[in-house]
Amino acid sequence: MEILKIIGDAYSGYLGYLINEITHPSWHNYFYWLIGISLFCWAIIGFAAVSNVVSHFFNEALASIGITNLAIITEKSLPYAVYFLILFVAKDFIQWNIHRLLHASPFLWEFHKVHHSVKEMGFAAHLRYHWMENVIYKVLQYIPLAMLGYGLSDFFAADIIALAIGHLNHSNVALPLGPLKYIINHAQMHLWHHAKEIPSKTGVNFGISLSVWDYLFGTVYYPETDGTTPLGFPGDEDFPKDFIHQELHH
Ligand SMILES: [Zn+2]
Ligand SMILES: [Zn+2]
């Protein structure tokens, strides 16, 4: 009986807590955070659905002018590791170009400012960006990557690897990469991408997962300093500080 009472009390205690949480919404409220996170995830799934619909109509439009297969290479024609490596490098190069465009175009820069409003590096800074960036990257990547014949599961694996490297790039951890630093992007290099004072008006170190593009195209900035520098962009004092206003900024 004693045990049943303890169990009964636990349930009634939790019920009281839950009712209290539901009837008292606040920023510290666990229940509403859960609801909010669920809605956020549903919104992301909705976004994926919308982009799939766009892809579908795009393919239909191509089919109507007689193009049914954009793919130049296919999984079957190459060993998987080679095929995947080509995908990864091609995707990264396309993203490097899109990133340059986000800096070069005054219209797109307004969206990208959200990512550059971070004042301190930390892995979470990687995921601070305007939602429009998702749309811009997806739309601009789609055609060239579809031409290379990549499927959704390949994209997924490439994205997970890029996500892990991206997190490391935004962390405050200096990785001693040795000569690999000329190929793989890293925190010491990406820090200067976020520096407030840089020698170029249109940005430096645009690398996403690979740093090699910046070396090849002369957009590297890697000063010999102790690695401390103020982050941001000129005029960021007046930039909105909260999530909602940043996501709505343009
Ligand atoms: Zn940038
Ligand atoms: Zn960044």
Side-chain angles (χ1 to χ4, degrees):
M1 281 318 282
E2 194 89 323
I3 292 167
L4 283 179
K5 189 179 174 313
I6 294 171
I7 296 172
D9 284 352
Y11 274 99
S12 65
Y14 184 75
L15 186 68
Y17 163 77
L18 190 62
I19 290 169
N20 188 48
E21 287 277 283
I22 294 169
T23 50
H24 297 83
S26 82
W27 283 109
H28 305 283
N29 190 306
Y30 182 65
F31 178 79
Y32 284 100
W33 271 103
L34 270 182
I35 300 270
I37 290 166
S38 302
L39 287 175
F40 182 71
C41 292
W42 276 104
I44 288 179
I45 295 167
F47 176 78
V50 169
S51 64
N52 288 349
V53 169
V54 171
S55 307
H56 173 77
F57 282 111
F58 178 74
N59 285 330
E60 294 271 287
L62 285 178
S64 72
I65 53 168
I67 302 169
T68 50
N69 190 8
L70 281 172
I72 302 169
I73 57 169
T74 61
E75 202 178 327
K76 284 157 206 92
S77 63
L78 288 168
Y80 188 77
V82 178
Y83 164 80
F84 186 77
L85 192 69
I86 297 173
L87 162 75
F88 193 81
V89 173
K91 195 164 162 13
D92 192 72
F93 182 55
I94 294 165
Q95 290 184 339
W96 179 83
N97 280 291
I98 298 171
H99 190 187
R100 285 195 75 166
L101 195 65
L102 289 175
H103 280 261
S105 146
F107 178 77
L108 298 179
W109 168 239
E110 289 303 317
F111 296 122
H112 192 49
K113 269 181 178 175
V114 173
H115 181 64
H116 281 266
S117 69
V118 290
K119 286 286 163 196
E120 218 175 292
M121 289 307 243
F123 70 89
H126 182 210
L127 297 182
R128 186 202 287 212
Y129 55 79
H130 196 285
W131 60 273
M132 264 303 283
E133 281 204 24
N134 261 332
V135 177
I136 298 161
Y137 273 99
K138 283 228 168 196
V139 168
L140 296 179
Q141 277 181 116
Y142 182 76
I143 301 172
L145 288 174
M147 286 177 77
L148 289 173
Y150 293 107
L152 207 59
S153 60
D154 310 310
F155 270 116
F156 182 71
D159 276 340
I160 294 291
I161 297 172
L163 191 72
I165 298 176
H167 267 50
L168 281 173
N169 292 340
H170 289 88
S171 67
N172 237 336
V173 182
L175 281 182
L177 285 176
L180 279 179
K181 72 173 188 179
Y182 298 111
I183 300 186
I184 300 168
N185 198 13
H186 47 285
Q188 302 95 299
M189 190 164 174
H190 196 65
L191 173 79
W192 295 105
H193 178 68
H194 281 268
K196 197 162 180 168
E197 302 271 333
I198 46 166
S200 157
K201 265 208 171 89
T202 47
V204 292
N205 302 359
F206 301 98
I208 309 284
S209 298
L210 303 178
S211 58
V212 69
W213 314 122
D214 288 305
Y215 283 102
L216 284 177
F217 295 95
T219 45
V220 179
Y221 177 56
Y222 213 143
E224 288 293 327
T225 68
D226 62 356
T228 50
T229 183
L231 306 183
F233 52 85
D236 59 3
E237 306 77 37
D238 305 323
F239 198 72
K241 303 266 182 292
D242 63 289
F243 177 74
I244 303 287
H245 286 95
Q246 287 198 346
E247 288 301 301
L248 296 175
H249 172 78
H250 195 267

